[in-house]
């Protein structure tokens, strides 16, 4: 087999395919890529062979590999041949749209592989349908000469797919008015088969090798595809032969959210505003609209009073009080009444409200009814409700999605690979396995190829017991560390309230460098400034993962507070579950969760083989029950110093 081309393998059986795949991967990693300047990394080769075994044996595999291993190339070298052998693309599910874009960037791994190996990899992005414009909604919006109408018309005349990333300056409020949404009945649309969303789907559905999605879109497809196929409709994604979850440690939240329901107060208010403007509407419709508006407002008012307030989480747990259940039932009945009135002689309203909007509103109300039904269902243990701090929306998701994952994914006997640098605590995968509900998986773990013993020194504060927020000792230690390092530091806290307290405590100090505060600027903008202005300091609670600052800009990482989990409704459900099993939730949930997040945070310091720096942990660690989890999260091989800081 020629190493520079991947044609359908000439194999006689599964065993021969496996042998040829491993041989080809070895040729690429040992010979071809090094000829083009790539390093031979034993860690990458080990991971690639483990993933190849998982593909060929159709296993669920956990591939943990440290920073700098080259995980992307490791899984691509199995994914591409497997797609061509099976005749179906492999899905690469990324943790965010930004990582999708990074993977398909002209200088990204798959494009470089495609050129160097001469194999013409066909990889295409599939995004959330809500990221594409709806031709009908766009025509309606621009016909009224609304704000940005001319700009949107000009863009649409040039755009092939109508994707939001092509015009990122569109505000969220306007995008909501012109983008596709779940309420759109595409089956009855006059533009059916000719709109931008259809063209986008046709584009990525034709991918031969790879379909690159974000976690949210993958799970939206996974939970809806059976129902859509039964209705004779196309699911979001075409059939696929395998799945790779990049940053696989982050799948639980998007999987849960996509399996749940949301009620957006703003959406409900929009329905009320439109119905109140209908000319010649029957009194019964107006009465039902007023009743829905009143009960909706009361439900959100009581829900807001029922939350358990914790500042550091976007998801606010809700106490299921009797008055909230009563408000939910009244809201549910009002929605039912309005939906019934709308369906009676609805053709009367088409002159005032376009048919597609009527259908969209019906869909929104039906989803709200399902959310309330789930909330009101007897046996509250089956679901988790919360309010979203950012937009005030009400959410309810399944308490346990492991059965759904098994039914819809793991039992399909497809290769499923989770890759990440943080799937385990010192090689112990039990926490992740229990969280996702896996059984009988294969596992591999390998450290970073970097010389972390030479690149990193870790300092544990020997006197951290003496640190008391009522004194200024912690702040004095922080000031000393920042001044000694002349900036170049990332300070990680566990809450934004701590960021604000720290800023107030530092008001009397003068520094020869600028301090960037997370709560005083857009996150991406702050990270870019920190990366480009080499002697600055960045302080925040949400920089534990997802930022890449190589070089001199970051030579000191300060852990102000260990990232113990906050009162999040999903984690609270997990804690309750392990308590029912007679286990200690602090040891089984809190310590492992803290260790995994700390591991991600420590990974911010060393991004290349030439980086050097130190990690300073100011929070209490030595001689604590969680010390072993902290030590397990530190870069393997790094020197650890216990000193009075």
């Amino acid at each position: 087999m020629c190493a520079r081309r991947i044609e359908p393998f000439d194999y006689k059986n599964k065993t021969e395919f496996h042998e040829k795949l491993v041989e080809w991967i070895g040729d690429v990693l040992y010979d071809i890529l090094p000829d083009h300047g790539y390093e031979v990394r034993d860690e990458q080769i080990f991971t690639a062979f483990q993933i190849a075994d998982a593909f060929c044996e159709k296993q669920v595999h956990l591939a943990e590999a440290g920073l700098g291993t080259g995980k992307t190339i490791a899984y691509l070298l199995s994914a591409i041949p497997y797609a061509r052998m099976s005749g179906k693309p492999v899905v690469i599910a990324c943790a965010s749209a930004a990582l999708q874009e990074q993977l398909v960037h002209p200088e990204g791994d798959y494009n470089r592989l495609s050129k160097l190996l001469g194999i013409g990899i066909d990889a295409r992005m599939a995004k959330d349908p809500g990221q594409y414009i709806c031709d009908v909604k766009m025509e309606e919006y621009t016909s009224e000469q609304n704000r940005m109408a001319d700009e949107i018309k000009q863009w649409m005349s040039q755009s092939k797919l109508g994707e939001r990333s092509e015009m990122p300056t569109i505000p969220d409020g306007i995008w909501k008015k012109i983008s596709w949404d779940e309420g759109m009945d595409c089956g009855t649309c006059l533009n059916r088969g000719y709109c931008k969303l259809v063209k986008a789907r046709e584009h990525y559905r034709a991918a031969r090798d790879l379909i690159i999605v974000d976690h949210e879109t993958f799970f939206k497809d996974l939970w809806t595809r059976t129902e859509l196929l039964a209705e004779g409709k196309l699911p979001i994604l075409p059939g696929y032969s395998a799945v790779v979850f990049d940053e696989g440690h982050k799948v639980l939240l998007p999987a849960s959210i996509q399996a749940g329901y949301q009620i957006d107060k703003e959406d409900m208010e929009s329905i009320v505003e439109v119905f109140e403007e209908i000319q010649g509407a029957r009194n019964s419709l107006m009465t039902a609209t007023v009743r829905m508006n009143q009960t909706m407002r009361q439900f959100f008012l009581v829900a807001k009073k029922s939350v358990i307030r914790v500042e550091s989480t976007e998801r606010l747990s809700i106490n299921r009080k009797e008055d909230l259940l009563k408000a939910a039932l009244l809201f549910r009945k009002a929605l039912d009444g309005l939906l019934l009135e709308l369906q009676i002689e609805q053709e009367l309203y088409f002159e005032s409200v376009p048919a597609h909007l009527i259908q969209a509103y019906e869909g929104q109300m039906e989803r709200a009814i399902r959310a309330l039904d789930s909330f009101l269902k007897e046996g509250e243990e089956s679901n988790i409700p919360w309010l979203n701090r950012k937009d005030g929306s009400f959410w309810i998701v399944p308490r346990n999605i492991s059965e759904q994952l098994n039914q819809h994914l793991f039992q399909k006997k497809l290769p499923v690979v989770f890759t990440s640098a943080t799937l385990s605590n010192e090689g112990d995968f039990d926490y992740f396995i229990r969280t996702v509900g896996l059984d009988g998986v294969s596992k591999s773990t390998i450290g970073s190829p970097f010389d972390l013993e030479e690149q990193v020194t870790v300092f544990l504060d020997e006197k951290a017991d003496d640190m008391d927020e009522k004194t200024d000792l912690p702040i004095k230690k922080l000031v000393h560390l920042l001044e000694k390092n002349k900036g170049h530091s990332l300070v990680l806290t566990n809450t934004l309230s701590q960021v604000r307290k720290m800023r107030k405590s530092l008001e009397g100090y003068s520094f020869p460098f600028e301090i960037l505060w997370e709560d005083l600027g857009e996150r991406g903008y702050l990270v870019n400034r920190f990366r480009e202005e080499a002697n600055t300091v960045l302080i925040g609670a949400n920089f534990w993962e997802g930022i890449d600052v190589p070089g001199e800009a970051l030579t000191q990482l300060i852990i102000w507070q260990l990232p113990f989990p906050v009162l999040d409704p999903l984690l609270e459900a997990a804690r309750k579950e392990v308590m029912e099993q007679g286990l200690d939730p602090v040891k089984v949930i809190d310590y492992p969760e803290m260790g995994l997040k700390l591991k991600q945070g420590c990974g911010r310091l060393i991004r290349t083989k030439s980086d050097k720096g130190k990690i300073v942990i100011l929070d209490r660690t030595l001689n604590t029950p969680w010390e072993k989890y902290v030590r397990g999260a530190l870069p393997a091989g790094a020197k650890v110093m216990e000193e009075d800081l």
Side-chain angles (χ1 to χ4, degrees), residues 201 205 221 224-225 228-229 231-238:
R201 285 187 169 181
R205 293 181 74 88
D221 169 79
T224 60
R225 66 185 299 113
L228 290 173
L229 288 169
E231 295 173 355
K233 300 177 182 178
L234 286 176
I236 297 172
L237 301 177

Side-chain angles (χ1 to χ4, degrees), residues 553-623:
L554 175 54
T555 59
Q556 179 174 243
L557 175 70
I558 299 175
I559 308 296
W560 178 259
Q561 291 174 312
L562 291 173
F564 285 103
V566 295
L567 193 62
D568 181 278
L570 290 173
L571 280 175
E572 283 304 296
R575 288 188 182 101
K576 190 170 185 178
E577 185 177 335
V578 300
M579 286 178 67
E580 291 170 352
Q581 299 170 11
L583 302 173
D584 183 350
V586 174
K587 294 179 180 178
V588 177
I589 302 291
D590 292 7
Y591 292 168
E593 184 75 20
M594 179 275 291
L596 289 177
K597 190 170 181 180
L598 178 60
K599 195 173 184 179
Q600 283 282 347
C602 290
R604 299 313 96 210
L605 182 65
I606 303 299
R607 307 304 294 176
T608 71
K609 64 180 181 179
S610 61
D611 288 345
K612 287 189 177 183
K614 58 187 175 183
I615 298 172
V616 183
I617 299 181
L618 292 176
D619 205 354
R620 190 163 70 96
T621 298
L622 298 174
N623 302 313

